[in-house]
Amino acid sequence: MSDTDPETPVTPADELDEDVELDQPRLRLVRDAIAADDGPAIDALLEPLHGADIADLLEQLDDQPRRELLRLWSGGIDGEILSELDETIREEILAELPADEVAEAVRELETDDVVDLIENLESETQADAILASLDDVDRVAVQQALTYPEFSAGRLMQREVVIAPSFWTVGQAIDHLRNAPDLPEQFYHVILTDPRMRPVGYVTLGKILGAPRETPLAEIEEESFRTFEVTDPESEVAYAFNQYHLISAPVVDADDRLLGVITIDDAIRILDEEAEEDILRLAGVDAEESLSNRTLGVVRRRFPWLAVNLVTAIMASIVISQFEGVITEIVALAVLMPIVASMGGNAGTQSLTVAVRALATRDLTGANVWRVIRREVMAGGINGVAFAIIMGIVGLVWFGSPMLGVVIAVAMIINLVVAGLAGVGIPVVLEKVGIDPALASGAFVTTVTDVVGFFAFLGLAALWLL
């Protein structure tokens, strides 16, 4: 006999496991519920999901199913979902939502999240509508934050701060926290200030709760205390959070007065975005590209770097054309050329990836750059010798020519040594001249390894085989 009451309808959500993450079965059931115009089923499927999972779900749906889901779903978009959405999708969804629902969602966000939301909107009408939905205090805070430079600490900070005079005791701080009507939903430190509202230290909530009431707050300050100026680049802020294991840090103006606070979740987001940008740029992809972009937008973003790649390929072809006679007489060279170029390109990419990431994390500096270059060159040489032996044997067995094996072996050593040198040297030089190494290094390294590889292989063949 079934445990399920036969008179109780079974919703699609009942078919799922107890896990409430967005998996393929749940996504399939959501699609089916949209197709069936079944609002209650959608409610049951989405109700247990985290806001980030709902944001992922909306990003995976096409335009029309997404609009249908928003029409059928009674839960509605809240601030958490809105902040997690991809920028392109978020703007489209905001255009579909009623003004009162947008206002309610925005009021749930911290001021730094509202700033992030507005600065990425292309529609001024939507931005004005969001600002109009805020309370007066929050509106002024957001408008002021938007006057600071883009990608600065002022854009990253939130204005919701918990402060206490530096002369208070633990008991006074606890009483204040219990009676405060508008504490932030999440905070990690109580910031200590002097009479001029300049931050002089901070105390963790754990130490406040664990110390006797009569203990002065100044006696239990954290040693990690540091401040950031409102104009500091957000990349510098994120680096400091990672380097010094910060949880939160005050932001001050030019007179050292407290303006807001940056928390670790925002710093981690910046670190994640910078790492993602490096990966995309190494592949010649615009850092703003995402799966939500339209086809024409993808074409427009990728075309310039494909054009650069075409130019570098033509340069390699020009080198090859100088040895047309050699290739005509020894056809085996045409078969083996791609091997030399490919091995050099892959070795260069390995060194390049390590160097670009080390530059981003400031592990590669002027103090150790020559040591790293020597290491990469030596690694390239050792790998070159190892693969030269292999390819020398392959050339001998495959084509029956000992000298052909020697030629490809020597060319392999030369190209892998140059690949190690170029993979580190090029991004270091580009950074010195103010060019993003992640953005431009790939094209240069590929060009160097292709040109050197072809020139070494075909040049040695012309000298030793003819």
Side-chain angles (χ1 to χ4, degrees), residues 67-108:
R67 283 193 288 267
E68 290 298 314
L69 183 143
L70 293 175
R71 178 180 64 84
L72 295 167
W73 181 35
S74 65
I77 301 291
D78 59 20
E80 184 176 37
I81 298 171
L82 204 57
S83 64
E84 294 286 346
L85 280 169
D86 179 82
E87 295 167 12
T88 306
I89 298 297
R90 183 165 57 194
E91 191 152 4
E92 293 177 6
I93 287 178
L94 284 172
E96 297 285 337
L97 294 177
D100 58 341
E101 187 172 340
V102 174
E104 183 63 29
V106 170
R107 278 195 287 267
E108 297 176 6

Side-chain angles (χ1 to χ4, degrees), residues 72-335:
L72 295 167
W73 181 35
S74 65
I77 301 291
D78 59 20
E80 184 176 37
I81 298 171
L82 204 57
S83 64
E84 294 286 346
L85 280 169
D86 179 82
E87 295 167 12
T88 306
I89 298 297
R90 183 165 57 194
E91 191 152 4
E92 293 177 6
I93 287 178
L94 284 172
E96 297 285 337
L97 294 177
D100 58 341
E101 187 172 340
V102 174
E104 183 63 29
V106 170
R107 278 195 287 267
E108 297 176 6
L109 297 173
E110 303 285 359
T111 53
D112 60 321
D113 293 323
V114 179
V115 171
D116 181 62
L117 174 65
I118 291 178
E119 69 183 359
N120 290 308
L121 288 176
E122 295 182 4
S123 169
E124 292 187 9
T125 303
Q126 288 183 339
D128 291 341
I130 290 174
L131 284 171
S133 69
L134 299 173
D135 297 333
D136 291 341
V137 174
D138 289 340
R139 185 186 309 113
V140 171
V142 171
Q143 289 174 327
Q144 182 179 7
L146 290 170
T147 65
Y148 299 129
E150 193 173 6
F151 309 118
S152 67
R155 293 284 186 100
L156 195 61
M157 71 178 181
Q158 65 184 52
R159 299 301 293 264
E160 295 82 5
V161 184
V162 180
I163 62 175
S166 56
F167 56 81
W168 269 12
T169 64
V170 166
Q172 288 174 300
I174 290 176
D175 292 341
H176 169 70
L177 293 175
R178 286 176 175 169
N179 296 324
D182 54 353
L183 288 177
E185 288 188 9
Q186 293 184 352
F187 63 98
Y188 311 100
H189 290 110
V190 173
I191 299 174
L192 307 183
T193 60
D194 66 11
R196 297 181 60 185
M197 282 300 292
R198 294 180 300 189
V200 294
Y202 55 32
V203 183
T204 63
L205 293 178
K207 284 192 174 181
I208 290 176
L209 294 175
R213 287 182 60 87
E214 64 276 7
T215 305
L217 292 176
E219 290 187 5
I220 55 174
E221 289 181 16
E222 288 291 296
E223 295 181 359
S224 62
F225 175 75
R226 64 176 53 228
T227 62
F228 297 99
E229 286 196 14
V230 71
T231 54
D232 286 345
E234 62 180 20
S235 58
E236 301 281 341
V237 175
Y239 171 80
F241 267 76
N242 184 56
Q243 181 76 2
Y244 304 113
H245 311 294
L246 304 178
I247 299 176
S248 68
V251 179
V252 298
D253 62 14
D255 296 321
D256 207 31
R257 287 192 296 266
L258 181 65
L259 291 177
V261 66
I262 294 174
T263 54
I264 189 171
D265 56 327
D266 292 314
I268 289 176
R269 176 174 59 82
I270 299 302
L271 287 173
D272 182 63
E273 289 176 357
E274 290 192 340
E276 182 180 352
E277 287 177 5
D278 286 347
I279 293 172
L280 292 173
R281 286 173 173 170
L282 281 171
V285 178
D286 192 289
E288 300 299 322
E289 183 173 323
S290 71
L291 293 177
S292 305
N293 291 129
R294 306 292 186 185
T295 301
L296 289 179
V298 172
V299 172
R300 186 173 61 253
R301 293 174 188 277
R302 295 184 184 180
F303 184 87
W305 284 106
L306 289 175
V308 171
N309 186 71
L310 176 61
V311 173
T312 62
I314 291 174
M315 293 175 62
S317 298
I318 291 173
V319 173
I320 295 172
S321 69
Q322 304 305 307
F323 299 93
E324 184 177 350
V326 180
I327 298 172
T328 302
E329 291 195 28
I330 308 174
V331 179
L333 298 177
V335 177

